[in-house]
Amino acid sequence: MINDKLPKIWYGGDYNPEQWGPEEWSEDDRMFKLAGIDVATINVFAWALLQPDEETYDFSTLDATMDRLYNNGVYVCLGTSTAAHPAWMAKKYPDVTRVDVQGRKRKFGGRHNSCPNSPTYRKYSTRIAGKLAERYKDHPALLIWHVSNEYGGYCYCENCAKAFRVWLKKRYKTIENLNKAWNTRFWGHTFYEWDEVVQPSELSEEWDGNRTNFQGISLDYRRFMSDSLLECYKLEHDEIKKYTPKIPITTNLMGTYPELDYFKWGKEMDVVSWDNYPSLDTPISFTAMSHDLMRGLRSGQPFMLMEQTPSQQNWQAYNSLKRPGVMRLWSYQAVARGADTVMFFQLRRSAGACEKYHGAVIEHVGHEHTRVFRECAELGRELQQLSDKLIDARTQAKVAIVYDWENRWATELSSGPTVALKYVDEVHKYYDALFQLNIEVDMVSVEEDFSKYDLVIAPVMYMVKPGFAKKTEDFVSSGGTFVTTFFSGIVNENDLVTLGGYPGELRSLLGIWAEEIDALFPDQKNRIVMKQPWGELQGEYDCGLLCDLIHSEGAEVLAEYGDDFYQGMPVLTRNRFGSGQAYYIASSPEESFLQGFLSNLCAEKGIKPLVLAGDGLESARRVKNGNAYLFLLNHNASPAEVQIGEIEQKDLLTNETVKGTVMVPARGVMILESKLD
Amino acid sequence: MINDKLPKIWYGGDYNPEQWGPEEWSEDDRMFKLAGIDVATINVFAWALLQPDEETYDFSTLDATMDRLYNNGVYVCLGTSTAAHPAWMAKKYPDVTRVDVQGRKRKFGGRHNSCPNSPTYRKYSTRIAGKLAERYKDHPALLIWHVSNEYGGYCYCENCAKAFRVWLKKRYKTIENLNKAWNTRFWGHTFYEWDEVVQPSELSEEWDGNRTNFQGISLDYRRFMSDSLLECYKLEHDEIKKYTPKIPITTNLMGTYPELDYFKWGKEMDVVSWDNYPSLDTPISFTAMSHDLMRGLRSGQPFMLMEQTPSQQNWQAYNSLKRPGVMRLWSYQAVARGADTVMFFQLRRSAGACEKYHGAVIEHVGHEHTRVFRECAELGRELQQLSDKLIDARTQAKVAIVYDWENRWATELSSGPTVALKYVDEVHKYYDALFQLNIEVDMVSVEEDFSKYDLVIAPVMYMVKPGFAKKTEDFVSSGGTFVTTFFSGIVNENDLVTLGGYPGELRSLLGIWAEEIDALFPDQKNRIVMKQPWGELQGEYDCGLLCDLIHSEGAEVLAEYGDDFYQGMPVLTRNRFGSGQAYYIASSPEESFLQGFLSNLCAEKGIKPLVLAGDGLESARRVKNGNAYLFLLNHNASPAEVQIGEIEQKDLLTNETVKGTVMVPARGVMILESKLD
Amino acid sequence: MINDKLPKIWYGGDYNPEQWGPEEWSEDDRMFKLAGIDVATINVFAWALLQPDEETYDFSTLDATMDRLYNNGVYVCLGTSTAAHPAWMAKKYPDVTRVDVQGRKRKFGGRHNSCPNSPTYRKYSTRIAGKLAERYKDHPALLIWHVSNEYGGYCYCENCAKAFRVWLKKRYKTIENLNKAWNTRFWGHTFYEWDEVVQPSELSEEWDGNRTNFQGISLDYRRFMSDSLLECYKLEHDEIKKYTPKIPITTNLMGTYPELDYFKWGKEMDVVSWDNYPSLDTPISFTAMSHDLMRGLRSGQPFMLMEQTPSQQNWQAYNSLKRPGVMRLWSYQAVARGADTVMFFQLRRSAGACEKYHGAVIEHVGHEHTRVFRECAELGRELQQLSDKLIDARTQAKVAIVYDWENRWATELSSGPTVALKYVDEVHKYYDALFQLNIEVDMVSVEEDFSKYDLVIAPVMYMVKPGFAKKTEDFVSSGGTFVTTFFSGIVNENDLVTLGGYPGELRSLLGIWAEEIDALFPDQKNRIVMKQPWGELQGEYDCGLLCDLIHSEGAEVLAEYGDDFYQGMPVLTRNRFGSGQAYYIASSPEESFLQGFLSNLCAEKGIKPLVLAGDGLESARRVKNGNAYLFLLNHNASPAEVQIGEIEQKDLLTNETVKGTVMVPARGVMILESKLD
């Protein structure tokens, strides 16, 4: 339980009373009650208010807000306010603003705007975190700490350059090691002194965002920046812990956000929280995958849905309204996949600046007689009714998909063989196939314990870090099934190719050799031709993107290419290794192939779908104290039929008992409780 | 009359004799006569020639040109030459060059390149304007002053930053007021001292041209820059007036150019002038609207067509030749809509640099035996024949469309609900419908006196400035018809939302409440379903872009949405208010809807079309001394039939008398004189 | 012969042993032998290794490599290593790094990164070239010098600004001349002192790469930058010649690379070499044209194919594998068109940095059992078998196409009439038509001796430099046939229009006057309507892009426009001039027109196709010592039938004798030897 002061699914969101006055505050109090809101995230962007100059701190407004909320039955998720520095600080200490990837020194503006290696920023952000902790450590409203906000963005200033060199020295010890790791003999880039190293930016090695001359330095700069920002978090975290060792601390993450290695971040957080902002055209399974990934950051521990919009966003190109019922449906999707909170950005819409057209529980009209408010209040009532039933319940998946931020960086920094390879999309293809099959999945790091799983899938495992190959071999030896794909096993953690034949360290496990890698144009296809029917797979399927030209070195060939000069070469192989099996898919297949393929593997391993249902019906399950909670989420605009099996289950939202075939209403939700088998 | 020295439609254009020598000059003299040219705009880009260094001025070339032109029967529109500073000035005083929105200090190059807050620029531009005025104040050729040229572009240098803070102090008095106006509590952007404010640029709050974190500061910077450039104009203007208080002063504007608030500029000009450069694919009605807008800058006063090309442009992607007859046709279009001059850029084509492929009266071949010259000379003869007939004639429209630059800035700076909203395009949709109906329209500012009109249309009146709501209520109370649309009444002049329900200050006038605003994807549509037939409207029509979800609060619902979850909610309403009516169109409709809708309103108000005619036949009317001058402009490549009514009218170009149905030749023009009813 | 030490087609490529160790070196030795490799390009990017600091030089690694290669039967193409400066140099002497066109000072990174006017770069690049020459002048492996690598890119730093002013003074003598050449009276840009001139960049006159306010300065900056880089080459060249006056020197060029005037460069090189990197979708005839252009840089002298990939590239969007046989086919294409070497980038794939996915003879797997290696080894055997047969053989074309880099710059810098005009594409249209007709072509400079040819084609000869018109008139007077097109004869070498009527200096030769130039939108077309059938031309053909509106002034009109207001005006004319004829094509025609037109001209001049064959079959011929070597290259994936005539010819690759009709296998090659008629 995140904090047992509030033993239910927390309900609330970001709240900025400092933008308003007493009239609105009393309306807020009244309407929060109507909506069943019991937690407010405050003080997220209030640094300038708390600290009007270098030596003055003024907590009076915050004091009053804390007290008012508490007296009104609302707990506080307390921000440290350090996601945007005050204007006076930028003026007095220019080191707090960043230099961008084009080498331009930024001026005051925006948010997430502080250089993570700025001495000024580190000093004052830590100091204010400490002051807040000291002041509110015993305040009864305090539920959890929210450090900064949506950490992100990189800096390229001279302070960062110096810190980068220190980071490199720590990593490589000697300049010779660094030269080797980055292969600097290429293009004569040998460094003789540490201070010859400059940041990879548009002024040196990079262009167009992710293009680089040297993958090694660009990869390390991403690691360094992720670490630098994490260090800022940790400084605040450690300062707070001095005062409130038992109050949990989090910061809000952003799903598949590319710039930070969230698996490293997860380790430093008491509870993971994240902000979920799908577009109208984001696949439902992509949101589901993001939730599962956030849950995976701390090996399955429940997380917080820190932000979502009640209705509409402002920063997308076309900001559609969430259709009636969709806010509730997506809220339960989060809960189904491990969230123990449902929180919004924002409780009251601001009247000015760029987020004034972002949805809120209390809209500009200011009263409760809106569709959006009614839906929020209805959900508030349901969450109170659910009480602590679902809190702390866990998912029990037998299938894991490996996700790795460093691997993502490396594949996207690669010069060749194709610009079309998007790591996240390839991972999502596998996730989506399992999602459609109603199979539970955990999204895991390369460091996760694989022995919990029967099936581990590592799409495009391009970068094989130390120990990964051995660990995977152990998993398969012991009976596990492992799947990987084209463009895997190519490089080590420094993006240096493992010589002697692809897929490098995974070669003996997979029993194949990839001699060449063909890149297809977007309109080009090849075919996967099954050598003989296998379970749900027979005949042929399209594939594209990249085609590894592989030779079996012991693996059984299940399918061959159907076209081009490598027609007849293997495209799908299975290698028996110890008691288990390792599959290799040499190209990027169409969806129907993956559903058949993964269906076969699950059948072999005895992994059963949660339910049988058609398109748009999502299922998920959480387990606690011997009970299973099966979530049925109907994303269709019409009712959906679902076969849930013959055991009686109780719908927590209606208290009805059901079994066999149930109908889930259009955009409706069922949460079915049963004894765990 | 602009200047009674030349009591006819002036005919001529930009002329740069300093690029040529005596041989060309005498050919110019000869050919200007052949072409009927009687005005030349000179000295527009001659600063470096007039002032070869800081202390030296040399007017000898200009003296000779003035005299030569006058002796040849050509008057002078005299430029002040300050649209491009000399190279020596940029080198000696770098403050004259600008810093761009990316923060890059510019070097010498281009034109419209001077920082408007540069002390050097202000000093020397004012000084040379004064010297010119002093020298030529009694020259008989002097007809009008042409200050600088096509003012535009913004600067982001430190001088501008300082001037911006002074401008802000004047506007807001206290930093508290500024913080409130910009809602700086958002993201903790509170300012404690004026000098903490930095310009909104790509280094601070903005990106991608019109994206910003803070609408307030970005809006004010646009106001400030428009004012700064206007201040440069006024400094020259005031200096000139010391010497020639009776000679009119203008500067050439650019239609719907986005960066300057031309309604403010119009107030400072004795006569408005503008440069008309449509593309081959610019809608005819868009050019017409631009003329009407320029006429509206000074409440209907005739304006100058300062520039158009005789044949082809150089800076478009594909520079089509104007087809035979089109130059004449478009020249009369300007006159029809209020121009008292027809002037070209340029009289002689330059031999080098970027405008050498821009059309001219005298082409590179240098003689008069060209199609372009023949067409110019033919038009010259006609304009002489028209004498002073049309000079100072006015338009008498009963319909006004409101146009507002600040509203345009605000809608385009808005973050959400859609990037697809283009203010000018929405305004043009309404204009175009009336244009097709042959209804006369004035384009007016929010400050215009509405009592002159029967129908006032304010599309996307997003920003409601102080007094506007009251004034519009008065107009409707007194019997006027007012039309506005979705996304209106949302914010005040600082882009702060008017709380309590959209459309804010216009809510009681319109009798509706807009609860939510849905943004549609480009390929999405909804439907306007008429509740019952109304005049020319019946059945259903497409709509899209944005859909306000409105509730009637007294307004009559004329049509409802046909689709989506807001099917059945009102999309077209009419509210009786006092003696008049206020309409609200909650989405962006297809063209046929608007033609029917506006046709209904005009019928109700007794506003009659000028003529009945088919597509591509444009009509317009000017009125003077009890006579009406009806222009029929056939933009088709085939003859057009027009019903002009049963009163006899005289064609000024042929002296024939016509009535009933007339045929206007392909790309032909008729100017029909009649007594005003 | 490039160097008679190795009297055969050289076979090898770029080799970077410094990235590897003894284990790989001995494998390299073994595998080079297997592949028949006899030349290695080394030391291209080794500056940092050779010169670890300002005063230390260490040649030990290079010594060992030279010796090892020589002992293994491999000669050396010795790089001077100056294409990328060492990191320590960038740190110690920042003047070596460039400032980009946006005005941003670059930091250490990339390659081709040195400012060409950096005193530091010039000093140390010359010094190391001299040290290498001194050290290896008598080394038996040394075959040829390879100065720097793929020169390119521009710099905009202050050192370049100063050098530009010196270059301008040399060119123009007085500032008055410069003002005149650039037409600086336009926009008042007159310069009074040389140091008022700043570089044309995004901070002054240019934007979007090739858009400029002043063509004159932008054109001169391109000339200056090409000269500046050439000066760097010459400094190294001259230093090397002091030690090895008889060893040839080259640097590798890049075909139609836009930034350098390669005709000026060719004059300074003992032998031209170039790097050939077609995409999968590059037309075969475009590669052929590039080879012919490189051959033309030194008037037909054989050149070196310095780089091509054995299999795949890394820097394209989608890096397809070269299909089986294609590497061999494209290698012979180079030889067929004048290459006396076949060389690869690279002999061994690097393990890290951005070229690790670029193909190589030795792949990451490290052994010879790969498709790519087998194809390389097979070609190596064939080249040994060909011995010195083809070395130094020449092409004997009777048709020349004029290509001019300065003309290319000028057309692409032009503001108007269309952005769609791409000089290289227009040239390629003419080349491609002749290629499809199996007619031999030389690509020549404007300075080439035309008397060798019967037919000279100068597409879009926009810029007519001094002497060109006279020389072309002489050529036609003496019986030659000359062809040029729309938008020709417009400007002089300073981009100043030749006044008095287009096509200026070519007007009397062509017997026409172009009154206007219409630019068509991409989806617009006009028609070429033949007045009567002429040879293979009859009926009508599409044309577009630009349409000159021309009048005959003596020329015979062969075809007229079919549409628009200039229907009936001439579009194809022939002017008899002395004993010859000059054709003008007033628009950009479709391909079938050009094939018919050029077929007619060749027939008239008695120029015969090499063979008769269908699509995808390329022919070329080299001649030596009274023998002709006819190359038949089948780019199709199926066999191709070719009629070669009734003389017996010997296939050098099979030693079979053939005549009449031969079948060339899919992607196959024949080299047929015969006595020259």
Side-chain angles (χ1 to χ4, degrees), chain A residues 18 45 48 91 104 106-108 110-111 312 314 317 319 321 323 351-354 356-357 364 370-371, chain B residues 102 183 185 187 189 192 202-205 213 215 415-417 419 462 495 497 500 502 515-518 564:
Chain A
E18 66 277 12
F45 285 107
K91 179 166 179 289
R104 304 181 304 188
R106 296 190 61 80
K107 302 181 174 186
F108 176 71
R111 58 174 179 170
Q312 128 185 88
N314 70 286
N319 296 279
L321 297 170
R323 270 48 200 156
C354 71
K356 65 182 173 295
Y357 300 119
H364 285 144
T370 67
R371 176 183 75 94
Chain B
Q102 295 188 54
N183 196 36
R185 290 274 175 104
W187 288 0
H189 276 215
Y192 291 100
E202 289 196 19
L203 302 184
S204 58
E205 301 289 14
N213 292 314
Q215 281 67 31
S415 175
V419 298
Y462 169 71
D495 203 64
V497 170
Y502 316 135
E515 180 182 343
E516 299 184 70
I517 306 171
D518 196 22
D564 220 317

Side-chain angles (χ1 to χ4, degrees), chain C residues 30-90:
Chain C
R30 185 181 71 81
M31 289 173 71
F32 290 174
K33 266 210 168 54
L34 288 176
I37 280 166
D38 44 36
V39 62
T41 304
I42 62 172
N43 203 47
V44 174
F45 286 107
W47 198 348
L49 187 65
L50 297 180
Q51 190 183 4
D53 62 44
E54 191 162 3
E55 293 310 329
T56 312
Y57 290 85
D58 173 359
F59 295 96
S60 55
T61 306
L62 184 56
D63 287 351
T65 299
M66 296 281 287
D67 293 348
R68 173 171 62 84
L69 288 169
Y70 185 70
N71 294 334
N72 196 43
V74 176
Y75 289 94
V76 164
C77 170
L78 187 54
T80 61
S81 82
T82 56
H85 50 247
W88 63 258
M89 194 182 289

Side-chain angles (χ1 to χ4, degrees), chain C residues 347-600:
Chain C
L347 297 186
R348 180 183 275 276
R349 270 199 197 209
S350 52
C354 71
E355 290 181 351
K356 64 182 174 295
Y357 300 118
H358 193 290
V361 175
I362 304 174
E363 307 256 22
H364 285 145
V365 71
H367 60 54
E368 66 269 33
H369 307 296
T370 67
R371 175 183 77 94
V372 168
F373 190 88
R374 281 187 299 271
E375 294 196 28
C376 291
E378 176 62 29
L379 179 60
R381 273 188 293 276
E382 287 185 353
L383 297 179
Q384 283 168 343
Q385 171 188 336
L386 286 168
S387 183
D388 67 348
K389 273 278 184 189
L390 299 164
I391 297 297
D392 272 337
R394 299 294 178 115
T395 298
Q396 291 181 338
K398 301 311 288 177
V399 181
I401 293 180
V402 177
Y403 187 96
D404 187 48
W405 266 271
E406 296 185 275
N407 186 44
R408 176 178 181 177
W409 293 333
T411 52
E412 295 181 358
L413 288 167
S414 180
S415 175
T418 177
V419 297
L421 173 60
K422 305 291 170 203
Y423 175 67
V424 178
D425 290 352
E426 293 302 310
V427 171
H428 177 246
K429 281 178 85 160
Y430 285 79
Y431 183 93
D432 182 65
L434 291 159
F435 178 91
Q436 303 302 338
L437 293 167
N438 291 294
I439 303 288
E440 292 173 280
V441 175
D442 279 350
M443 299 292 296
V444 303
S445 81
V446 293
E447 295 178 348
E448 188 61 74
D449 172 15
F450 289 174
S451 69
K452 297 185 277 184
Y453 301 102
D454 293 330
L455 171 58
V456 171
I457 305 167
V460 195
M461 191 82 302
Y462 169 72
M463 172 185 285
V464 171
K465 289 192 264 196
F468 181 81
K470 174 67 170 62
K471 156 206 195 122
T472 308
E473 288 181 354
D474 290 348
F475 165 70
V476 178
S477 287
S478 312
T481 296
F482 176 71
V483 176
T484 191
T485 73
F486 64 91
F487 210 45
S488 289
I490 309 286
V491 298
N492 71 6
E493 77 278 17
N494 295 320
D495 202 63
L496 289 176
V497 169
T498 302
L499 298 171
Y502 317 134
E505 294 189 53
L506 302 176
R507 189 166 165 191
S508 69
L509 172 62
L510 293 159
I512 56 139
W513 166 44
E515 181 182 340
E516 299 184 71
I517 306 171
D518 196 22
L520 276 59
F521 278 63
D523 56 354
Q524 273 185 305
K525 292 282 169 210
N526 206 310
R527 280 177 302 138
I528 296 169
V529 181
M530 297 304 298
K531 293 189 72 173
Q532 54 190 66
W534 170 42
E536 304 209 359
L537 292 177
Q538 57 177 325
E540 52 186 64
Y541 303 86
D542 279 350
C543 64
L545 189 67
L546 288 175
C547 292
D548 280 4
L549 275 58
I550 63 175
H551 303 272
S552 169
E553 296 181 327
E556 179 185 0
V557 178
L558 300 177
E560 299 171 343
Y561 283 111
D563 295 303
D564 219 315
F565 75 92
Y566 40 93
Q567 183 182 17
M569 290 186 79
V571 61
L572 174 64
T573 60
R574 171 170 57 200
N575 197 43
R576 294 182 196 278
F577 190 94
S579 316
Q581 308 184 105
Y583 289 86
Y584 191 79
I585 305 180
S587 183
S588 185
E590 64 172 301
E591 185 185 326
S592 64
F593 173 86
L594 283 183
Q595 286 195 29
F597 173 70
L598 292 167
S599 187
N600 285 353

Side-chain angles (χ1 to χ4, degrees), chain B residues 323-502:
Chain B
R323 270 49 199 156
V326 168
M327 182 277 292
R328 173 178 176 262
L329 179 65
W330 291 4
S331 297
Y332 281 116
Q333 182 186 34
V335 174
R337 298 196 168 275
D340 276 359
T341 74
V342 171
M343 293 164 69
F344 298 111
F345 184 87
Q346 50 194 338
L347 297 186
R348 181 182 275 277
R349 269 199 198 207
S350 52
C354 71
E355 290 181 352
K356 63 182 175 295
Y357 300 119
H358 193 290
V361 174
I362 304 175
E363 307 255 22
H364 286 144
V365 71
H367 59 55
E368 65 270 33
H369 308 295
T370 67
R371 174 183 76 93
V372 168
F373 189 88
R374 281 188 299 269
E375 295 196 24
C376 291
E378 177 63 29
L379 179 60
R381 271 188 294 277
E382 287 185 354
L383 295 180
Q384 284 167 344
Q385 170 187 335
L386 286 169
S387 183
D388 66 350
K389 274 276 183 191
L390 300 163
I391 296 298
D392 271 338
R394 300 293 178 118
T395 298
Q396 291 182 335
K398 302 311 289 175
V399 181
I401 293 180
V402 177
Y403 187 96
D404 187 49
W405 266 272
E406 297 185 275
N407 185 44
R408 176 178 181 177
W409 293 334
T411 52
E412 294 182 359
L413 287 167
S414 179
S415 175
T418 176
V419 298
L421 174 60
K422 305 293 172 203
Y423 175 67
V424 178
D425 290 351
E426 293 303 311
V427 172
H428 177 246
K429 281 178 83 162
Y430 285 78
Y431 184 93
D432 182 67
L434 291 160
F435 179 91
Q436 303 302 337
L437 294 168
N438 292 293
I439 302 288
E440 292 173 280
V441 175
D442 280 349
M443 299 293 297
V444 304
S445 80
V446 293
E447 296 178 349
E448 189 61 75
D449 172 15
F450 289 174
S451 69
K452 296 187 276 183
Y453 301 103
D454 294 329
L455 171 58
V456 171
I457 305 168
V460 194
M461 191 79 303
Y462 169 71
M463 172 185 284
V464 171
K465 290 193 266 196
F468 181 82
K470 174 68 171 59
K471 156 208 195 114
T472 307
E473 287 180 355
D474 290 347
F475 165 71
V476 178
S477 287
S478 312
T481 296
F482 177 70
V483 176
T484 190
T485 73
F486 64 91
F487 209 46
S488 288
I490 310 285
V491 297
N492 71 6
E493 76 279 15
N494 294 319
D495 203 64
L496 289 176
V497 170
T498 301
L499 298 172
Y502 316 135

Side-chain angles (χ1 to χ4, degrees), chain A residues 631-677:
Chain A
F631 288 75
L632 303 180
L633 306 154
N634 181 8
H635 297 278
N636 299 298
S638 53
E641 195 178 278
V642 188
Q643 297 176 38
I644 58 167
E646 293 308 314
I647 292 160
E648 288 208 332
Q649 308 192 42
K650 188 177 78 172
D651 185 339
L652 294 188
L653 297 174
T654 61
N655 282 320
E656 287 174 16
T657 299
V658 295
K659 69 171 183 175
T661 297
V662 299
M663 292 299 290
V664 187
R667 292 188 179 129
V669 176
M670 286 184 177
I671 308 174
L672 304 179
E673 186 183 47
S674 63
K675 287 282 155 206
L676 200 56
D677 340 293

